[in-house]
């Protein structure tokens, strides 16, 4: 069943409920007709708005992002992320289904997260696999793990290597993720990420 059909059924059911209540109260037929027309008008407007949003979601989302009312916009296989007040770009991602907001760091070779997030996302690390990482705060000895699936809107990356250490609190999305994209660029205060090989069709 497509979204438009679902909306029609939903609004039809909502229209039936007040009509049945009016019948139960034995409201005069003329008054009932006027009230039914008013409800029908309200539901028709709601249906038009819902249909318009469904068909023009990308354009509406872009406007909401530009107005600062939404964190990202999706158009086909592209994701648009606005610059945050602190000057950075942040992505709302899912690591093995666990939601997390990561700062996009084009200067970071690998994606890095803290142990709490690794545990929540079921990312296993092997103490025998460690990597020395140079950070702004100095050298960090990080464990190495792998995300089975990371999603950012319609963009999906599987088998992504991540570095895990307590000093990576908050986490960063590194170049090992960005390099899997078809392309990425910054236009003014907007970062645009383009999926490689097409977008994930089940994204909503």
């Amino acid at each position: 069943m497509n979204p438009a059909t679902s909306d029609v059924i939903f609004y039809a059911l909502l229209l039936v409920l007040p009509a049945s209540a009016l019948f139960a109260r034995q409201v005069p037929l003329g008054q009932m007709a006027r009230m039914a027309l008013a409800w029908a008008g309200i539901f028709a407007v709601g249906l038009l708005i819902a249909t318009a949003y469904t068909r023009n979601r990308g354009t509406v989302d872009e406007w909401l992002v530009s107005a600062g009312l939404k964190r990202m916009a999706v158009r086909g296989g592209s994701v648009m992320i606005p610059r945050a007040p602190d000057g950075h770009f942040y992505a709302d991602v899912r690591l093995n289904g666990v939601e997390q907001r990561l700062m996009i760091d084009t200067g970071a070779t690998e994606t890095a997260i803290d142990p709490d997030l690794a545990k929540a996302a079921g990312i296993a690390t092997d103490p025998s696999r460690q990597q020395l990482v140079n950070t702004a705060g100095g050298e960090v000895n990080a464990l190495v793990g792998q995300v089975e699936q990371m999603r950012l809107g319609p963009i999906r990356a599987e088998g992504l290597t991540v570095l895990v250490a307590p000093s990576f609190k908050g986490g960063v999305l590194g170049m090992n993720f960005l390099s899997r994209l078809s392309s990425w660029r910054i236009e003014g205060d907007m970062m645009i990420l383009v999926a490689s090989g097409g977008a994930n069709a089940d994204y909503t």
Side-chain angles (χ1 to χ4, degrees):
M1 183 182 297
N2 61 52
T5 302
S6 299
D7 287 339
V8 170
I9 294 174
F10 173 72
Y11 285 110
L13 289 174
L14 287 182
L15 188 60
V16 168
L17 292 176
S20 60
L22 292 175
F23 276 113
R25 294 172 56 188
Q26 297 183 343
V27 176
L29 188 59
Q31 182 180 350
M32 185 184 300
R34 289 192 297 272
M35 294 177 71
L37 286 173
W39 277 106
I42 292 171
F43 290 135
V45 171
L47 180 59
L48 287 172
I49 293 173
T51 302
Y53 175 73
T54 300
R55 293 180 177 177
N56 302 280
R57 176 175 177 173
T59 302
V60 174
D61 284 354
E62 286 178 36
W63 181 85
L64 292 174
V65 166
S66 298
L69 300 175
K70 197 169 184 179
R71 289 179 172 178
M72 74 175 187
V74 175
R75 181 185 286 276
S78 298
V79 175
M80 286 140 282
I81 300 173
R83 191 188 302 273
D86 63 4
H88 297 292
F89 295 96
Y90 293 86
D92 294 319
V93 303
R94 287 177 177 268
L95 297 89
N96 296 340
V98 176
E99 294 185 8
Q100 179 68 25
R101 188 164 171 78
L102 300 179
M103 184 181 78
I104 301 175
D105 187 352
T106 58
T109 304
E110 307 285 348
T111 296
I113 61 176
D114 61 70
D116 290 339
L117 178 56
K119 182 179 180 181
I123 300 171
T125 55
D126 183 353
S128 66
R129 291 186 64 201
Q130 299 189 22
Q131 184 172 323
L132 195 62
V133 184
N134 289 313
T135 70
E139 291 187 336
V140 173
N141 202 29
L143 297 175
V144 179
Q146 190 175 76
V147 182
E148 291 181 12
Q149 184 182 99
M150 179 180 287
R151 293 186 62 172
L152 169 53
I155 301 170
R156 180 169 57 194
E158 297 180 349
L160 187 75
T161 297
V162 293
L163 302 180
V164 182
S167 58
F168 297 145
K169 195 70 178 176
V172 297
L173 194 61
M175 284 301 301
N176 66 327
F177 175 82
L178 296 179
S179 64
R180 296 193 180 194
L181 303 176
S182 174
S183 66
W184 65 272
R185 64 187 185 276
I186 296 175
E187 295 182 357
D189 289 326
M190 194 77 67
M191 175 175 271
I192 302 172
L193 311 177
V194 182
S196 178
N200 185 15
D202 65 358
Y203 172 72
T204 55

